[in-house]
Amino acid sequence: DSFVHNPSLYDLCEVIKHFKWHMPSFTLSSYRMFQVMRFAVQEINNSSLILPNVSLGYEIFDHCSDKFNFQAILNMISRNGSIQVLRCVNEYLSKVIAVAGPFRSMESMTVAPMFAMNLIPMVNYGSSSSVLSDKWKYPSFLRTTASNKDLIHLIILIIQHFNWNWVAFVSSGDENSQNGLQLFKSKLKDTKICLAYAKELNEMSDHYEILQQLEGLSIEVIIVFAGQSSAVAFIKSAIKHNIHSKVWIAGDSWSLNKNLPRLSGIKAIGTIIGITETVMPLPGFKDFVYLSQTQRNNRPSTCEQTPSRQTCNQACDLCSDVSPEEIIGENPSYSFATYSAIYAMAHALHNLLLCDIKGCSDNVTVYPFMLLRELKRSNFTILNRHIEFDSNGDPTSTSYAIVFWNQSGQAEKVGSYETDPTLDVPFSINNTQIHWYADQVPVARCSPECSEGFAKKIDGLHQCCFQCNVCPGMTYVNYTDDPYSCIDCRKTEWSKPGSTFCTQRSVEYILFTDPIAITLMFSTGVLLALTLAIVILFALNYDKPVVKSAGGPMCFLLLGCLSASSISVFFFFGKPTVTNCVLRYFLFLLFYTVCLGCFAVRSFQIVCIFKMATKFPKIHSWWVKHNGQWWLIAIVFVLQLLLLTTVFTASPPTPVNDMTSYRDQIILKCAMTRTVIMFLLLTIVLVSLCFIFSYMGKDLPKNYNESKAITLYLLFLILTWITFCTASILYHGKYLQLFNAMSVLSSSYSILFCYFLPKCYIIIFQPQKNTQQHFQGIIQRYTQNISSK
């Protein structure tokens, strides 16, 4: 049913207000929107700025079913009581040129295609389904209320703000609620929130069963995104069944409900946080309602004109006993959206009719498509709010209020959200204004958050339900990128068990400035100085028996090779390179092997003189005649040189980064291949010969007997390298290079201390023993002892 009121001065300027509420179940909030629309039209008609000398006409009807719905719509798009076949939008002028409403999304989706045929603009104030943003399906649909996508985004922001991830979504069967659920599910893909439970409410729903399921899943946060009647019934059931200590997030349909906060037991169910578009006070609306009440009481009732009192509109508003206080105090949601929808139409007409302070043109024929085009260009400010539509017909900016139902039953604003992308802080909540049922922010999580360094292992179907496993050493967990995996550190990094990041490994090698390195280099310098001093001392006493018994010219070769081998110590420090890796081993192994060859030859020569000369005179004669000792040393030198050159050319010792010995360090060192055994064999053979010949000469004359000195030196040598080998097995740090250098230096010093320094002592401090007579006397006594035996 429909009624006509306040016919327009221009037939083309009729604006239709399309409302829906079910009778006889009277909805006071819808009745308030009905009064807001009347108030807006009256303001515009009384204004001399928007549409001077033009009055807006409107028709309001209550469509209770599809039957009444389509009757009224067909009447609206008709012309002179008939609907003509549309051939061109600028040739057909329907009864109305614009529609405001209907309120719910389903009704809008039903009727919008019919209005779109004639491009009759629909400026909606309550349908928030995101489906209506599709301009291919709904080309003439615009709205002053926000789309569900903004509302759902705000709900997710609230959940994330309080660090919740285990929530339920309760909806109703209407299209708007279902659209909200679909949007919520789609937006969760990019978050860490899990939808633990989703349920659609209808007239047959068992609220007790649903509430028990929520309890069984330990869900603490429940989003009730349902129509007002379904939401109210569900909350009442929660009170009735003694559900307590929950967080209820109210959709915009019931967040400002005036009756629920007054119910007994509402505080026991927990904390209720609501979301609504920011309530904008309408100056003058209160006086308008009171004036309308007075006018209603002073005119005769016309309700008899309406069969069974089934319709409420401007012609018959006595069908319900509603006081002005009830209207004013009713849920103000959508009031500003209704108000601004009417003003959007008026501003569009203002532009089309070329209005100015003198008036509006009466020579302009306004077709619906023209008004639609102008509405899309809307750009005006009303009550300090900017009104503009985007390409989808949605408002470019919407202001939301986050409310908390406080102890006194009032919806107290505790936060805000602005969809305007230019704002620095579009979302904010004042946590101190919310009084939680447990005096602290509730924990709504399927599993407690893992401790630092623990990776999550999904336990069940939801990613929010998990077990915590500590990440082992050399791995870490990145909670931002992937909290479910332990990521391996790079080769140059390390981490302790239970780490959230990797630390760069320290690169370790012995610097030249290291105190121990300085000490060893100084000791090497001292060794070289002592060697030089001994060379000078032996040169000055070259013809003396002590020098001859020590080897004569061979001493100088021995001292020279000893100096050359000790120089390798300097190459154990600094960052390893191919050059110093080769030199540190090449110099020592080559020249120290010559030293061992000299000792082996020297030991053999002494035995040969005193024992083999008498038993094997021919061999001894050949040895003396052809300088066998020098040939043997030369063979040792050449053989070792060939071995070293061959091996180091094929597989030289190279710098390597030891990344396995220590997790937090990279040890730079020189790697020796297994082929080093080839030239170590020669060294081992020479050491063995030294031992054998030293043992064979243990009973020779004291001044010619070098066996004790050589044996003592060999013991030091073997002990030194056994110590080094043991250290290299047990320790793999950078100071192993120091141990190696110390072993080289110790090997060199053992020759000086055990072999040369005793002879230097005789030369300097016991010159009486450094005579030919003394040595001949020793030999005579040795010969007499041998003869007597």
Side-chain angles (χ1 to χ4, degrees):
D1 296 328
S2 61
F3 294 87
V4 178
H5 175 72
N6 191 16
S8 63
L9 295 179
Y10 295 96
D11 291 339
L12 299 181
C13 298
E14 294 179 348
V15 181
I16 308 304
K17 175 69 178 181
H18 179 193
F19 260 99
K20 185 238 181 226
W21 62 74
H22 292 284
M23 298 296 291
S25 178
F26 178 73
T27 306
L28 185 57
S29 60
S30 295
Y31 190 66
R32 175 189 168 93
M33 287 185 281
F34 159 71
Q35 296 296 348
V36 170
M37 188 282 300
R38 294 181 61 219
F39 170 64
V41 172
Q42 179 175 295
E43 271 194 343
I44 294 168
N45 287 338
N46 291 337
S47 171
S48 60
L49 298 177
I50 302 179
L51 294 173
N53 77 325
V54 174
S55 295
L56 292 179
Y58 61 85
E59 181 174 342
I60 300 174
F61 73 92
D62 164 29
H63 67 90
C64 307
S65 65
D66 289 343
K67 177 182 178 182
F68 292 106
N69 190 8
F70 285 104
Q71 273 185 336
I73 293 168
L74 293 174
N75 181 42
M76 290 178 192
I77 63 177
S78 67
R79 182 178 183 183
N80 299 326
S82 64
I83 300 176
Q84 302 176 13
V85 176
L86 180 65
R87 296 179 179 177
C88 187
V89 292
N90 61 354
E91 295 179 356
Y92 182 76
L93 192 62
S94 59
K95 182 178 180 180
V96 299
I97 59 171
V99 175
F103 178 66
R104 293 180 177 85
S105 297
M106 180 57 72
E107 283 83 353
S108 294
M109 294 168 64
T110 301
V111 303
M114 302 187 68
F115 288 112
M117 289 189 301
N118 294 338
L119 292 181
I120 298 174
M122 296 177 62
V123 186
N124 197 279
Y125 51 86
S127 300
S128 56
S129 173
S130 63
V131 176
L132 292 164
S133 297
D134 187 349
K135 294 302 101 178
W136 285 101
K137 292 183 179 179
Y138 310 103
S140 65
F141 182 89
L142 302 94
R143 53 185 161 197
T144 53
T145 188
S147 168
N148 273 343
K149 62 184 176 65
D150 295 321
L151 186 62
I152 293 300
H153 181 63
L154 175 54
I155 291 175
I156 291 177
L157 287 177
I158 293 173
I159 294 172
Q160 291 175 328
H161 176 79
F162 293 111
N163 200 27
W164 297 327
N165 69 4
W166 192 239
V167 301
F169 195 101
V170 177
S171 60
S172 52
D174 61 280
E175 199 285 332
N176 185 67
S177 297
Q178 293 304 304
N179 176 250
L181 177 58
Q182 293 173 4
L183 287 172
F184 186 73
K185 288 180 177 179
S186 65
K187 288 182 177 294
L188 290 186
K189 296 177 182 178
D190 299 325
T191 70
K192 298 179 181 179
I193 303 170
C194 294
L195 180 59
Y197 182 83
K199 189 67 177 181
E200 177 185 322
L201 300 176
N202 54 51
E203 296 178 356
M204 303 301 293
S205 296
D206 187 342
H207 290 169
Y208 177 73
E209 181 181 355
I210 295 173
L211 293 168
Q212 289 301 308
Q213 290 172 345
L214 292 172
E215 288 286 343
L217 292 171
S218 300
I219 299 174
E220 300 297 327
V221 177
I222 305 167
I223 304 164
V224 184
F225 196 87
Q228 180 166 249
S229 59
S230 297
V232 170
F234 186 64
I235 295 300
K236 287 181 177 179
S237 295
I239 297 173
K240 177 182 177 182
H241 294 103
N242 198 29
I243 300 300
H244 60 279
S245 302
K246 302 291 183 186
V247 176
W248 307 83
I249 299 180
D252 56 347
S253 66
W254 65 282
S255 59
L256 296 182
N257 188 284
K258 300 296 182 179
N259 297 320
L260 274 179
R262 301 189 185 101
L263 294 179
S264 175
I266 188 69
K267 298 177 184 178
I269 67 172
T271 302
I272 298 178
I273 299 174
I275 299 171
T276 181
E277 291 190 39
T278 301
V279 176
M280 300 291 295
L282 304 178
F285 177 66
K286 182 177 180 181
D287 296 335
F288 170 81
V289 173
Y290 276 103
L291 181 60
S292 299
Q293 174 79 357
T294 303
Q295 292 175 347
R296 186 189 69 180
N297 294 335
N298 292 336
R299 71 172 181 263
S301 172
T302 58
C303 287
E304 292 76 16
Q305 300 174 8
T306 307
S308 304
R309 297 162 59 92
Q310 291 182 351
T311 302
C312 283
N313 56 25
Q314 69 277 7
C316 183
D317 54 6
L318 293 178
C319 55
S320 66
D321 297 326
V322 182
S323 66
E325 290 77 13
E326 289 178 301
I327 297 173
I328 295 169
E330 181 49 38
N331 184 352
S333 301
Y334 306 104
S335 292
F336 180 76
T338 305
Y339 185 78
S340 58
I342 304 303
Y343 266 88
M345 297 177 184
H347 277 274
L349 283 171
H350 174 91
N351 296 331
L352 286 174
L353 295 175
L354 307 175
C355 298
D356 54 24
I357 57 175
K358 297 179 181 179
C360 300
S361 173
D362 56 359
N363 295 323
V364 178
T365 301
V366 180
Y367 289 91
F369 79 92
M370 299 167 62
L371 186 64
L372 175 61
R373 181 180 58 200
E374 203 61 43
L375 276 166
K376 290 181 178 180
R377 298 172 180 171
S378 295
N379 191 346
F380 65 94
T381 301
I382 181 173
L383 300 180
N384 296 322
R385 286 291 302 278
H386 185 69
I387 305 299
E388 187 179 4
F389 301 103
D390 62 17
S391 59
N392 295 322
D394 298 330
T396 56
S397 63
T398 305
S399 176
Y400 281 102
I402 304 168
V403 297
F404 159 68
W405 289 14
N406 59 27
Q407 297 298 314
S408 60
Q410 299 295 321
E412 177 185 352
K413 183 178 179 180
V414 295
S416 63
Y417 173 63
E418 303 286 344
T419 59
D420 186 352
T422 62
L423 296 178
D424 294 334
V425 186
F427 169 75
S428 64
I429 294 181
N430 188 344
N431 295 351
T432 60
Q433 290 182 264
I434 303 177
H435 302 287
W436 303 100
Y437 55 82
D439 295 329
Q440 60 182 358
V441 179
V443 177
R445 309 185 71 83
C446 178
S447 299
E449 199 62 33
C450 291
S451 301
E452 187 176 274
F454 284 73
K456 301 175 182 178
K457 181 182 179 182
I458 296 178
D459 184 12
L461 300 177
H462 296 281
Q463 64 175 0
C464 300
C465 304
F466 48 80
Q467 297 176 352
C468 298
N469 298 323
V470 65
C471 285
M474 306 306 292
T475 65
Y476 71 101
V477 57
N478 188 328
Y479 293 113
T480 302
D481 296 339
D482 183 10
Y484 299 93
S485 301
C486 293
I487 306 170
D488 291 331
C489 294
R490 289 181 291 183
K491 290 184 177 180
T492 57
E493 297 175 336
W494 74 283
S495 68
K496 297 184 296 184
S499 295
T500 56
F501 60 90
C502 290
T503 304
Q504 196 71 22
R505 288 186 178 191
S506 61
V507 179
E508 301 291 337
Y509 59 92
I510 303 299
L511 298 171
F512 282 101
T513 55
D514 189 287
I516 303 180
I518 294 174
T519 302
L520 289 178
M521 288 188 291
F522 178 77
S523 300
T524 304
V526 172
L527 175 69
L528 294 174
L530 288 175
T531 304
L532 179 61
I534 294 173
V535 168
I536 295 172
L537 182 64
F538 275 35
L540 295 175
N541 295 274
Y542 184 75
D543 295 329
K544 297 297 179 67
V546 171
V547 176
K548 291 181 178 180
S549 66
M554 192 177 295
C555 292
F556 299 101
L557 175 64
L558 188 60
L559 290 168
C561 290
L562 185 64
S563 299
S565 66
S566 63
I567 291 175
S568 64
V569 172
F570 293 101
F571 297 101
F572 281 91
F573 312 119
K575 189 174 183 178
T577 63
V578 175
T579 300
N580 63 22
C581 283
V582 170
L583 290 178
R584 72 171 61 171
Y585 295 116
F586 188 89
L587 291 175
F588 177 71
L589 290 173
L590 177 62
F591 291 105
Y592 202 81
T593 302
V594 175
C595 293
L596 290 175
C598 290
F599 280 119
V601 169
R602 180 61 187 152
S603 300
F604 172 74
Q605 193 173 12
I606 294 172
V607 172
C608 180
I609 292 173
F610 287 94
K611 292 190 176 184
M612 296 183 64
T614 55
K615 296 181 180 179
F616 306 100
K618 293 184 178 180
I619 296 177
H620 178 263
S621 176
W622 181 91
W623 179 270
V624 174
K625 181 179 179 181
H626 296 284
N627 295 315
Q629 70 272 21
W630 295 109
W631 281 105
L632 185 57
I633 293 172
I635 292 172
V636 169
F637 174 78
V638 172
L639 182 60
Q640 184 73 330
L641 180 62
L642 289 175
L643 285 173
L644 288 172
T645 303
T646 302
V647 172
F648 278 21
T649 301
S651 181
T654 55
V656 295
N657 299 336
D658 181 5
M659 297 184 176
T660 58
S661 297
Y662 299 93
R663 64 184 184 184
D664 60 338
Q665 297 177 4
I666 299 176
I667 308 298
L668 302 188
K669 62 182 182 180
C670 297
M672 290 289 289
T673 61
R674 294 182 179 180
T675 52
V676 72
I677 298 175
M678 294 176 61
F679 44 79
L680 286 180
L681 287 174
L682 179 58
T683 304
I684 295 171
V685 169
L686 292 174
V687 171
S688 301
L689 289 175
C690 287
F691 263 117
I692 292 171
F693 293 137
S694 296
Y695 179 78
M696 290 173 62
K698 67 181 185 300
D699 56 346
L700 295 177
K702 184 176 180 181
N703 280 36
Y704 285 91
N705 188 355
E706 310 292 344
S707 61
K708 293 182 179 180
I710 295 175
T711 302
L712 182 61
Y713 148 69
L714 292 174
L715 288 176
F716 272 113
L717 179 67
I718 294 172
L719 181 62
T720 295
W721 289 101
I722 288 177
T723 302
F724 171 73
C725 291
T726 304
S728 64
I729 294 172
L730 300 177
Y731 174 73
H732 302 280
K734 68 175 182 177
Y735 290 107
L736 187 61
Q737 309 297 321
L738 284 178
F739 295 152
N740 198 343
M742 291 171 63
S743 299
V744 169
L745 199 57
S746 176
S747 301
S748 300
Y749 266 108
S750 62
I751 294 177
L752 285 183
F753 285 117
C754 296
Y755 190 80
F756 286 105
L757 288 185
K759 293 172 175 50
C760 293
Y761 179 81
I762 293 174
I763 294 172
I764 298 172
F765 298 104
Q766 294 181 343
Q768 69 278 7
K769 294 183 180 180
N770 191 17
T771 61
Q772 189 69 30
Q773 296 81 2
H774 180 74
F775 275 79
Q776 287 178 353
I778 293 174
I779 293 173
Q780 290 175 359
R781 287 193 293 271
Y782 173 76
T783 304
Q784 292 174 359
N785 290 335
I786 293 295
S787 301
S788 62
K789 293 180 180 179

